Amino acid sequence: MTNMSRARVARRIAAGAAYGGGGAGLIGAAAVGLLLAEVRLARRQVGNGGGDRVPVAEGMYGRPYVVPGEPALRLVMLGDSTAAGQGVHRAGQTPGALLASGLAAVAERPVELRNVALPGAQSDDLDRQVSLVLSAGPSAPDICVIMVGANDVTHRMPPTRSVRHLSAAVRRLRTAGAEVVVGTCPDLGTIEPVQQPLRWLARRASRQLAAAQTIGVVEQGGRTVSLGDLLGPEFAANPRELFGPDNYHPSAEGYATAAMAVLPTVCAALGLWPAEEDRPDVTRREGFLPVARAAAEAASEAGTEVTAAIPTGPRGPWALLKRRHRRRVPEPEPVTPSP
């Protein structure tokens, strides 16, 4: 599917989400049913790897930067198993810990990490997760990172419903004052035991959803980062290195790859990234595009950021597409759990 075709599909899905349409599935119901069955079979075949246990990474990062009277930055992870860090054995290997450690190093401030993500969650669980976040204190977190979408595809949630739930979550968090970065649906076409043609269908469905998610998020004032690399080309090329023991969830190296893609956008959302990095670089094919086109291009290239730019134009809202340099995430320090 071309980017122009994906942009048209994404626009239809996002419009259906915004105006209450039910919307057809991303791919045929029978094909999705087969995909779901094969994914479940694949997970049984490869075993449970690290099991369902998720390391607890909540707590304070960047303690050397603590200054009496200066509050820590507050980072919250929401979403599914990828946001929770399922598939690794140590807290420091989870994406939340990697992002908190990296953010603390860039900001030179301590970072308090909270994780309300739930393995197996679909986008309709975000309402519950956001309520947990907003009820935790008198003010919203500084930054929220959401990773969600894969389970929506494999459990046949209509894409308009998926985008509607995600958009509502972003709107609630932004209204409360939090910055929001969404890692869009990863490329499901590289789950190793899934065979063709379902591999192709999974890739098409996940990229379509990722593009539609981007439109919905940007319209609510959030930023997106394409997570194709999370289960994408690098995993296809190096599955033994970048997949975890269950061949479904990422390994520690895989989560580090995803964290490196998301960290620059987290820092930019908080005003911590160098100002020159916010200017489009034509040599990296960055620039201002209609939001649907930017969403489609981002879905095709992992690590690409999309953020709102111009409220309206001849073809509707415009967005800024960025391909930020990936910088090595600092090695996370041992976590100090919250009391």
Side-chain angles (χ1 to χ4, degrees):
M1 175 177 286
T2 66
N3 283 342
M4 291 302 293
S5 298
R6 186 173 296 117
R8 286 194 295 270
V9 173
R11 275 197 302 266
R12 288 199 298 270
I13 294 170
Y19 295 107
L26 289 167
I27 50 181
V32 178
L34 286 172
L35 172 62
L36 176 58
E38 187 151 344
V39 167
R40 286 174 173 167
L41 177 61
R43 295 185 71 178
R44 286 198 298 269
Q45 288 175 339
V46 299
N48 61 11
D52 294 330
R53 188 186 72 83
V54 177
V56 177
E58 292 186 322
M60 186 73 73
Y61 292 79
R63 283 201 173 273
Y65 302 114
V66 170
V67 175
E70 182 176 336
L73 289 170
R74 290 183 295 154
L75 165 66
V76 177
M77 302 293 295
L78 306 91
D80 56 23
S81 57
T82 55
Q86 187 171 358
V88 294
H89 298 283
R90 296 195 297 274
Q93 297 171 329
T94 63
L98 291 164
L99 286 172
S101 178
L103 178 58
V106 173
E108 297 186 349
R109 286 179 60 183
V111 175
E112 181 74 24
L113 172 66
R114 187 180 183 206
N115 198 324
V116 298
L118 178 68
Q122 300 174 50
S123 292
D124 57 4
D125 190 56
L126 290 175
D127 182 63
R128 180 191 65 83
Q129 294 182 27
V130 170
S131 293
L132 285 175
V133 172
L134 297 182
S135 65
S139 60
D142 296 287
I143 183 81
C144 294
V145 176
I146 303 173
M147 297 179 179
V148 75
N151 296 318
D152 296 11
V153 174
T154 60
H155 288 76
R156 294 182 274 185
M157 178 181 289
T160 50
R161 182 182 170 203
S162 175
V163 173
R164 188 179 304 127
H165 284 297
L166 176 59
S167 298
V170 174
R171 181 169 58 251
R172 289 180 65 192
L173 292 169
R174 292 291 293 130
T175 299
E179 296 292 338
V180 181
V181 174
V182 174
T184 56
C185 182
D187 184 350
L188 298 179
T190 52
I191 299 174
E192 196 174 38
V194 176
Q195 302 301 313
Q196 297 288 14
L198 296 181
R199 185 184 293 264
W200 177 82
L201 290 172
R203 171 166 290 122
R204 187 179 74 166
S206 52
R207 287 187 176 184
Q208 286 179 0
L209 180 57
Q213 286 177 318
T214 294
I215 295 175
V217 169
V218 168
E219 288 178 345
Q220 300 302 326
R223 301 178 185 228
T224 64
V225 179
S226 169
L227 285 188
D229 270 353
L230 193 60
L231 295 172
E234 289 189 59
F235 286 81
N238 305 288
R240 295 305 177 205
E241 178 182 352
L242 293 178
F243 273 122
D246 61 2
N247 280 16
Y248 185 85
H249 293 99
S251 65
E253 192 68 27
Y255 278 130
T257 301
M260 283 189 287
V262 174
L263 178 61
T265 300
V266 167
C267 294
L270 293 170
L272 300 171
W273 216 234
E276 58 269 20
E277 276 289 306
D278 285 327
R279 290 192 290 270
D281 184 342
V282 295
T283 66
R284 293 188 295 189
R285 295 177 294 115
E286 298 178 345
F288 298 96
L289 298 169
V291 65
R293 182 178 164 193
E297 290 202 13
S300 300
E301 185 174 340
T304 305
E305 174 192 318
V306 180
T307 186
I310 305 170
T312 188
R315 287 177 284 178
W318 284 55
L320 174 60
L321 184 144
K322 294 284 296 177
R323 295 177 171 90
R324 296 188 186 274
H325 291 299
R326 294 182 187 178
R327 301 185 180 183
R328 185 170 181 82
V329 177
E331 188 70 22
E333 59 190 273
V335 63
T336 302
S338 298

